[in-house]
Amino acid sequence: MVKKIKVEIRENGTAVVEGYVNLVERESHVLRDKDGTFVERIKAGVFTRAIEDAKKMHDNILVLKNHNYDEKLSSVNEGAELREDTIGLHCRFETNDATLIEDAKNGKLNGWSFGFYPLAQSKHKESEDSVEKREVKCMVLKEVSVLSDYHRPAYASTISMTRENDEDSVGLSLRFADDEVSVEEHKSAKTDDDIDETYKTKLEKKRKEIF
């Protein structure tokens, strides 16, 4: 299944953005962090538990642009819908962010992403030379992001960040990949009055050319 961002641009200057942020029970492409390369699988139910835990802790899960907290598009508390189904983590939100809408129109959106703290995960290798496999079994979900054209790390898979001077802290992990983008722009149909007015304008112009 191809992950897709669907953007519905409305006449009132808002847009509805939706799609699957991550697919559960599927191995990622090869990722890299400070410990080396690995492939990752998010276990089914992990996102559901993370969303429920956030509600219990009154922790607001944000929707950002490019993981930038200064570019907040929405949040769960502001009506963004986050849910896990049999496919994966689905997100739907409405925004009036002009730059995001312009990026959508210009084909500059390129993927979903999410930032999380892994709380429980298993790690194993099938052989000494094989890529490590990880299964995420519990997480704190902090945010999901819509990505536009911007500079990515060379490995274009994951970023691991830790708080300064805290070697034991659990890193905030970011996951992203290029997604298929579908943009649908709604424009009002011309009314009979609009058509009549257009016809009158053309007729008037023709008269001036003749006379």
Side-chain angles (χ1 to χ4, degrees):
M1 177 183 175
V2 177
K3 294 201 293 111
K4 180 184 291 187
I5 300 178
K6 179 182 177 182
V7 183
E8 179 186 339
I9 300 172
R10 296 175 171 175
E11 287 184 81
N12 62 0
T14 65
V16 175
V17 184
E18 67 176 308
Y20 282 97
V21 178
N22 184 266
L23 309 181
V24 297
E25 295 293 354
R26 303 200 184 191
E27 286 190 350
S28 67
H29 54 286
V30 178
L31 308 174
R32 180 185 298 275
D33 64 9
K34 61 183 178 62
D35 296 321
T37 57
F38 63 97
V39 293
E40 182 178 74
R41 181 194 300 264
I42 308 292
K43 296 291 291 179
V46 169
F47 286 119
T48 295
R49 180 178 175 182
I51 294 167
E52 290 174 351
D53 287 347
K55 289 179 182 178
K56 291 176 184 177
M57 299 296 292
H58 304 288
D59 191 9
N60 191 19
I61 301 174
L62 307 178
V63 180
L64 307 176
K65 183 179 177 184
N66 296 336
H67 299 290
N68 186 344
Y69 283 80
D70 292 328
E71 294 186 273
K72 188 178 78 167
L73 301 172
S74 186
S75 71
V76 170
N77 288 353
E78 295 169 304
E81 300 172 12
L82 277 177
R83 59 177 173 81
E84 179 186 337
D85 57 23
T86 55
I87 297 172
L89 177 64
H90 187 272
C91 180
R92 185 181 189 276
F93 68 95
E94 184 173 337
T95 181
N96 60 1
D97 186 88
T99 58
L100 181 79
I101 293 172
E102 195 64 25
D103 283 346
K105 290 179 179 179
N106 295 329
K108 291 185 177 181
L109 299 184
N110 52 30
W112 285 103
S113 182
F114 65 104
F116 70 103
Y117 291 103
L119 298 182
Q121 60 182 336
S122 62
K123 302 178 181 181
H124 73 278
K125 283 188 174 185
E126 295 178 351
S127 67
E128 187 176 340
D129 298 326
S130 64
V131 176
E132 181 179 84
K133 292 189 176 183
R134 301 182 187 178
E135 283 191 344
V136 177
K137 300 178 179 181
C138 186
M139 69 164 70
V140 174
L141 182 61
K142 298 301 294 182
E143 51 92 0
V144 300
S145 283
V146 177
L147 305 181
S148 62
D149 289 345
Y150 77 109
H151 296 294
R152 296 184 176 190
Y155 42 81
S157 298
T158 181
I159 306 171
S160 291
M161 301 184 298
T162 57
R163 295 183 293 274
E164 288 187 16
N165 304 319
D166 188 356
E167 295 180 357
D168 296 326
S169 66
V170 178
L172 175 66
S173 297
L174 309 181
R175 298 289 184 266
F176 52 84
D178 288 328
D179 295 327
E180 185 178 311
V181 180
S182 170
V183 179
E184 181 179 334
E185 188 171 358
H186 291 277
K187 294 182 178 179
S188 58
K190 287 188 176 181
T191 65
D192 290 341
D193 289 340
D194 292 331
I195 295 172
D196 287 344
E197 192 62 36
T198 301
Y199 176 75
K200 289 176 184 177
T201 302
K202 289 183 178 179
L203 184 59
E204 187 63 28
K205 184 178 179 181
K206 195 68 176 176
R207 282 175 178 168
K208 287 181 180 179
E209 289 176 356
I210 296 172
F211 300 106

